[in-house]
Amino acid sequence: MNKVNLNEKFDLIKEHWSPKIIGELNGQDVKLAKVKGEFVWHDHKGEDELFLIFKGTLRIEFRDRSVTLNEGEMLIIPRGVEHYPIADEEVWLLLFEPQSTKHTGDVMTERTVGKFEKI
């Protein structure tokens, strides 16, 4: 049991759209990521996904609407719901998801992370 300083962990992240694991519990990963720009349309067939905004503003597009998340806000995206994250400026976020979650779902792109680094 060690406390985690989120600011110190965010300082270790140098690239965008490449989540890092900062903790694990009950088969879930707690990840931090810095994001900027547009990601890819994707979904997670078997897992829900939690986005918690630590710094900045993240817009998540869905096929039928758009949700804007500001600092201190969170959104849980149910399994199977296609989404497209967009960050006009750098955003720091915390993700909470099952360890089996694939970064870009079944979509493979140059941004797909195969194995998440622990920091």
Side-chain angles (χ1 to χ4, degrees), residues 42-77:
H42 70 286
D43 65 5
H44 305 283
K45 302 264 187 269
E47 305 94 5
D48 301 329
E49 186 174 30
L50 179 145
F51 286 81
L52 172 65
I53 307 306
F54 189 78
K55 179 180 174 184
T57 300
L58 181 71
R59 187 171 79 251
I60 303 178
E61 296 289 332
F62 299 95
R63 293 298 182 182
D64 63 343
R65 66 188 175 112
S66 176
V67 174
T68 299
L69 300 171
N70 296 300
E71 291 177 15
E73 295 181 327
M74 64 173 254
L75 179 69
I76 297 172
I77 300 176

Side-chain angles (χ1 to χ4, degrees), residues 5 14 30 71 76 82 97 100:
N5 182 301
K14 304 303 179 198
V30 180
E71 291 177 15
I76 297 172
E82 199 172 17
E97 55 197 14
S100 61

Side-chain angles (χ1 to χ4, degrees), residues 2-4 9 15 18 25 34 45 48 51 54 67 80 87 94-96 102-103 106 113-114 117:
N2 295 312
K3 71 178 181 177
V4 175
K9 295 295 185 182
E15 60 278 327
S18 183
L25 74 154
K34 289 181 179 177
K45 302 264 187 269
D48 301 329
F51 286 81
F54 189 78
V67 174
L94 181 144
L95 299 164
F96 187 73
K102 296 178 184 174
H103 186 227
D106 291 333
V113 175
E117 177 185 1

